[in-house]
Amino acid sequence: VPITSSLTEALAETGERVNAELDSLLTVGDGPEARLHEAMRYSSLNGGKRLRPFFVLQTARLFHVAEQAAIRVAAAIEMVHCYSLVHDDLPCMDNDDLRRGRPTLHKAYDEATALLAGDALLTKAFEVLAGPATHSDPQVRCELVWELAAAAGAHGMVGGQMVDLLAAGLAMDMAAVTRLQQMKTGRLICFSAEAGALLGKAPRQTRNSLRAYAHDVGLAFQIADDLLDIEGDPAQLGKAVHKDQDAGKATFVSLLGVERARDQARMLSDQAVAHLDCFDDNADLLREAARFVVDRSL
Ligand code: IPE
Ligand code: IPE
Ligand code: MG
Ligand code: MG
Ligand code: MG
């Protein structure tokens, strides 16, 4: 499946919609705490590929979910993602100065504000999911909260970040790196692709197909991130490169080398597409997205 202008357009449209939603959800108060609110906006209304919102909106479309509902879930997952980036960039973590082409939050503001803005983005995401406008059925809202909490937490993204920090000092083989990346990056992508099915009360089997798709896309996506850390153009990426090797981090690329890592990513992307066989051409953009995540230059 080639990357067509329709995917580029869909990603751009997702960006506009999620920006509008984040803009209306992330209000700025009157008191001195407005500094926190501005910091939350700084770190989330600043570009990004909006890939996770794209997965939510596209899978929601498969089940004819109302756009107003899906966009709230899309905004919620992007808040969690942006929080994870704010904390990932802190001096005590990856110590990065540049994110999405601008100074990282702790550089533009200060470390304490970055910590708090991350906390508040994470919390806000759950407020949004639990709110009545997200779905008329409280059971569905509860399921969304449950799934995102599990994906983002100690056995998901945050757990993966812990392993990532320890990885330099551990003997990591392919199985260990796969597990690390699956936790760190894969789980949030899995949630994003499953969210449409949750909103649409899709049958278990259909949900499982999307999970399988997202599992492979998530791994392919992280391999591409690791490849871009070696080969990418920092101006285009909007973040520093050569960070992983300098930190001694085990990645697919450090284990397999550039060529085999790229082959692995392409194999995973093909496998992801195969998991969508149960869907008609309404899933074509998801098929293209599986290609895009490995061939991307940003
Ligand atoms: C970067 O994520 C961090 C990882 C999980 C690898 P993205 O590449 O999706 O970052 P943005 O949202 O486009 O900035
Ligand atoms: C970050 O992974 C993953 C999360 C924020 C959970 P990286 O540390 O590789 O992301 P970049 O390269 O800084 O975007
Ligand atoms: Mg990191
Ligand atoms: Mg980082
Ligand atoms: Mg990286």
Side-chain angles (χ1 to χ4, degrees):
V1 189
I3 295 161
T4 63
S5 58
S6 54
L7 178 65
T8 316
E9 272 168 36
L11 282 169
E13 200 183 308
T14 302
E16 278 166 34
R17 287 191 188 158
V18 79
N19 278 347
E21 190 66 18
L22 288 169
D23 181 46
S24 77
L25 289 170
L26 298 173
T27 51
V28 179
D30 292 332
E33 73 277 17
R35 176 179 172 81
L36 172 68
H37 307 150
E38 297 288 1
M40 292 163 76
R41 294 174 64 88
Y42 178 90
S43 55
S44 57
L45 287 163
N46 62 346
K49 293 178 288 297
R50 308 304 201 193
L51 212 59
R52 294 155 193 80
F54 169 86
F55 287 130
V56 177
L57 297 183
Q58 290 303 317
T59 56
R61 246 179 46 125
L62 294 175
F63 308 104
H64 313 289
V65 172
E67 158 88 24
Q68 313 91 275
I71 194 66
R72 285 174 64 87
V73 179
I77 182 68
E78 188 66 14
M79 286 181 206
V80 173
H81 172 58
C82 292
Y83 127 74
S84 80
L85 297 177
V86 167
H87 284 190
D88 180 74
D89 289 334
L90 283 171
C92 59
M93 300 274 293
D94 289 351
N95 191 21
D96 272 304
D97 298 348
L98 198 69
R99 172 67 64 184
R100 292 175 172 174
R102 296 199 300 176
T104 46
L105 187 57
H106 65 272
K107 284 281 166 186
Y109 286 70
D110 56 80
E111 279 180 45
T113 305
L115 190 81
L116 295 174
D119 292 342
L121 281 169
L122 173 62
T123 316
K124 183 72 187 177
F126 288 97
E127 182 190 324
V128 170
L129 287 186
T134 298
H135 203 284
S136 57
D137 184 349
Q139 172 92 35
V140 169
R141 300 191 324 253
C142 193
E143 237 178 309
L144 287 165
V145 167
W146 161 285
E147 292 286 348
L148 183 57
H155 296 278
M157 184 274 289
V158 176
Q161 289 284 72
M162 182 80 254
V163 182
D164 183 275
L165 293 175
L166 298 170
L170 298 174
M172 302 279 285
D173 59 8
M174 274 299 282
V177 171
T178 303
R179 178 173 178 274
L180 152 62
Q181 310 291 38
Q182 166 61 12
M183 290 169 78
K184 181 177 98 164
T185 309
R187 289 293 301 274
L188 289 186
I189 290 181
C190 257
F191 171 83
S192 310
E194 207 183 346
L198 287 173
L199 284 165
K201 298 187 180 180
R204 169 61 63 181
Q205 211 182 337
T206 317
R207 264 174 74 171
N208 286 345
S209 298
L210 287 172
R211 284 178 87 106
Y213 162 83
H215 175 272
D216 295 339
V217 164
L219 280 177
F221 176 86
Q222 184 60 51
I223 294 175
D225 186 76
D226 298 340
L227 283 165
L228 288 168
D229 188 73
I230 291 178
E231 306 180 319
D233 171 9
Q236 212 177 346
L237 287 170
K239 62 183 182 183
V241 294
H242 304 305
K243 299 284 301 182
D244 296 334
Q245 206 179 358
D246 292 352
K249 285 192 177 164
T251 67
F252 285 105
V253 184
S254 74
L255 285 182
L256 297 175
V258 166
E259 289 313 316
R260 283 176 63 212
R262 200 189 319 282
D263 288 347
Q264 181 76 10
R266 295 216 168 109
M267 190 275 284
L268 285 161
S269 153
D270 291 343
Q271 212 170 274
V273 173
H275 286 302
L276 297 178
D277 281 351
C278 54
F279 298 103
D280 62 12
D281 55 7
N282 280 322
D284 277 355
L285 285 174
L286 288 170
R287 294 184 177 97
E288 286 181 40
R291 286 272 171 275
F292 167 77
V293 300
V294 296
D295 291 330
R296 66 201 170 98
S297 56
L298 77 166

